[in-house]
Amino acid sequence: MEDIYVRHLELLGYEKRFFPSQHYVYMLMVKWSDLSEKLIYRTYPEIHTFHKSLKDMFPIESGQIEKRDRIIPSLPAPRWLWESEKSRETTKSTLAEYCQKVISLPPHISRCKHLSNFFKVRPEDENPPAPNTLKRAETFLVSRDQARGVASEISAPIILDTYRVIADFEKSTKYEITLHTGDLVEIVEKNENGWWFCQCESKRGWIPASYLEPLDGPDEAEDAEPNYEGDEHITIQAYKAEQDDEISLEVGETVEVIHKLLDGWWVVRKGDETGYFPSMFLSKAGKRERLNPGGQRPPPRRSTIRNAKSIHNKSRQRLSQDTYRRNSRRYFQQKGSRLSEPQRNSKNAAKSPLKERKNQDNIPEMSGSSSESELKKEAPVIPPRPSPELILERCTDNTRKKVTRKMVSE
């Protein structure tokens, strides 16, 4: 499989942070070749160190051998930064231009491992530090016209998904955005933890995905399909169930994720028990543990939002926990029958001591009705018919529409 590479890089703005000491970080939107979009944070010294190592890797293209051969853009040293408001504005335009020029370099540079690794998401990018109670981080955004003006000269226009807000949302941290019912927002990043980064007019910030709906119909089709085989994860933070269909788990428990939902609440299985659990409190087994959210709360579920107003006649449908448990049992039954078949065949292939003795004495083996009864006993188990909910969930949109029309007409 071909490695993914950065296809677009855009400077969104910068933040002034006060922990562990006062410093600035740049907000960069990275768009990858697999169509994923990630928001990352990098300091200017980090970017300049990357720039210097890139020049060392490509001495010809950086002009170290012949100045006329230089194609890697220049980037000023960070020693003069943040001395004045004018220097900050100069740095923003310089860095925005540098990002676009780096991505436009020949593929052997713009798609190299060193560049891809530097712009990959880090744990601290997914879970930014919680706001300081004494001093809150200050965010300064680049104007959309300015940012898009630079990008349009180098790359094709990028169309963001538009969603509608279904209920009033009041921000509680500096990172979030206040929105009202009916507002239209553009989605910049969809995070697995259920918090999406969006922009509305001149405002940008995080909002729970449960407060949003697409304009063209109910959004359950965007969720991944259930995987009853399960994807093993480990809990990194305890959670006590607040709703009947949720599950309580302690730190360090191993669970199987059987349904990943966009709103950040995944269906997990622990033995015979299933229930919704916050995805931000899970880490994939065998991988490096994600940073503890450190006080960041799980996004609210759609069922807990008051006065939600959708523009669609058909509401979002969710499978019940009984359906998840029933389909899990069916999966294990089918898996058990598949595993038992080779064992039966191997038992038949290996002769018993009694059969070996009969063969030695030239005694013919029994045939006829007895062998037929054995074949009947060894017939494979017919899998159960999937439930109507599962059929409707996995069928195509056209089939679902036809079935819905038929049900309405009846």
Side-chain angles (χ1 to χ4, degrees), residues 89-123:
E89 295 302 321
T90 303
T91 304
K92 282 195 299 184
S93 62
T94 300
L95 188 55
E97 185 179 357
Y98 174 81
C99 292
Q100 298 301 332
K101 287 184 177 180
V102 165
I103 298 304
S104 301
L105 290 173
H108 71 283
I109 302 178
S110 62
R111 301 183 184 181
C112 70
K113 272 285 187 186
H114 179 59
L115 187 145
S116 298
N117 289 336
F118 179 75
F119 290 107
K120 277 184 178 178
V121 177
R122 301 171 180 172

Side-chain angles (χ1 to χ4, degrees), residues 22 123 127 152 164 174 181 261 271 278 355 387:
Q22 180 175 317
N127 297 295
S152 62
R164 177 184 175 275
K174 185 76 173 181
T181 306
L261 303 172
K355 285 188 176 183
S387 62

Side-chain angles (χ1 to χ4, degrees), residues 308-350:
K309 297 179 181 178
S310 173
I311 59 174
H312 307 298
N313 294 327
K314 180 184 176 183
S315 61
R316 181 187 180 94
Q317 295 180 350
R318 284 286 178 91
L319 297 179
S320 66
Q321 292 303 320
D322 288 338
T323 304
Y324 286 120
R325 285 189 286 270
R326 184 168 61 250
N327 289 328
S328 291
R329 286 194 295 269
R330 287 175 178 173
Y331 167 77
F332 285 124
Q333 289 172 358
Q334 294 175 18
K335 183 179 179 181
S337 64
R338 288 195 299 268
L339 292 175
S340 61
E341 285 177 15
Q343 294 177 358
R344 293 194 194 102
N345 295 335
S346 62
K347 288 180 181 178
N348 293 334

Side-chain angles (χ1 to χ4, degrees), residues 65-79:
I65 299 176
E66 290 287 344
K67 289 187 177 181
R68 63 185 179 183
D69 295 331
R70 177 164 187 167
I71 57 175
I72 295 179
S74 59
L75 188 67
R79 61 180 179 272

Side-chain angles (χ1 to χ4, degrees), residues 23-187:
H23 65 287
Y24 294 85
V25 292
Y26 281 96
M27 304 162 59
L28 299 168
M29 177 53 59
V30 185
K31 301 180 186 292
W32 296 86
S33 57
D34 63 353
L35 303 184
S36 62
E37 303 174 359
K38 296 295 181 181
L39 177 67
I40 66 172
Y41 300 85
R42 298 291 184 270
T43 64
Y44 191 89
E46 284 180 318
I47 299 173
H48 192 264
T49 301
F50 156 76
H51 167 69
K52 290 194 298 182
S53 59
L54 191 67
K55 290 198 302 178
D56 293 338
M57 290 180 62
F58 302 98
I60 297 177
E61 291 85 347
S62 63
Q64 296 181 20
I65 299 176
E66 290 287 344
K67 289 187 177 181
R68 63 185 179 183
D69 295 331
R70 177 164 187 167
I71 57 175
I72 295 179
S74 59
L75 188 67
R79 61 180 179 272
W80 51 272
L81 293 179
W82 315 117
E83 294 177 355
S84 64
E85 184 68 27
K86 183 177 180 180
S87 68
R88 286 195 286 270
E89 295 302 321
T90 303
T91 304
K92 282 195 299 184
S93 62
T94 300
L95 188 55
E97 185 179 357
Y98 174 81
C99 292
Q100 298 301 332
K101 287 184 177 180
V102 165
I103 298 304
S104 301
L105 290 173
H108 71 283
I109 302 178
S110 62
R111 301 183 184 181
C112 70
K113 272 285 187 186
H114 179 59
L115 187 145
S116 298
N117 289 336
F118 179 75
F119 290 107
K120 277 184 178 178
V121 177
R122 301 171 180 172
E124 56 267 30
D125 296 328
E126 293 185 325
N127 297 295
N132 191 302
T133 55
L134 299 178
K135 286 187 176 181
R136 293 195 171 189
E138 301 174 6
T139 304
F140 304 86
L141 301 176
V142 178
S143 66
R144 291 173 59 191
D145 295 337
Q146 177 186 352
R148 291 187 175 183
V150 175
S152 62
E153 299 176 2
I154 293 142
S155 62
I158 297 172
I159 301 175
L160 301 177
D161 294 333
T162 301
Y163 279 69
R164 177 184 175 275
V165 181
I166 64 169
D168 294 343
F169 177 76
E170 188 72 26
K171 68 177 182 179
S172 58
T173 70
K174 185 76 173 181
Y175 301 101
E176 298 169 9
I177 181 174
T178 298
L179 294 171
H180 301 285
T181 306
D183 286 347
L184 299 181
V185 299
E186 292 180 317
I187 305 303

Side-chain angles (χ1 to χ4, degrees), residues 325-385:
R325 285 189 286 270
R326 184 168 61 250
N327 289 328
S328 291
R329 286 194 295 269
R330 287 175 178 173
Y331 167 77
F332 285 124
Q333 289 172 358
Q334 294 175 18
K335 183 179 179 181
S337 64
R338 288 195 299 268
L339 292 175
S340 61
E341 285 177 15
Q343 294 177 358
R344 293 194 194 102
N345 295 335
S346 62
K347 288 180 181 178
N348 293 334
K351 292 184 177 180
S352 65
L354 179 61
K355 285 188 176 183
E356 289 181 359
R357 182 186 293 179
K358 287 180 179 180
N359 291 335
Q360 289 175 0
D361 298 337
N362 295 324
I363 300 175
E365 295 184 6
M366 294 181 66
S367 60
S369 60
S370 61
S371 61
E372 290 176 2
S373 62
E374 289 180 0
L375 288 174
K376 288 181 181 179
K377 291 180 181 178
E378 295 174 3
V381 179
I382 300 175
R385 177 178 175 82

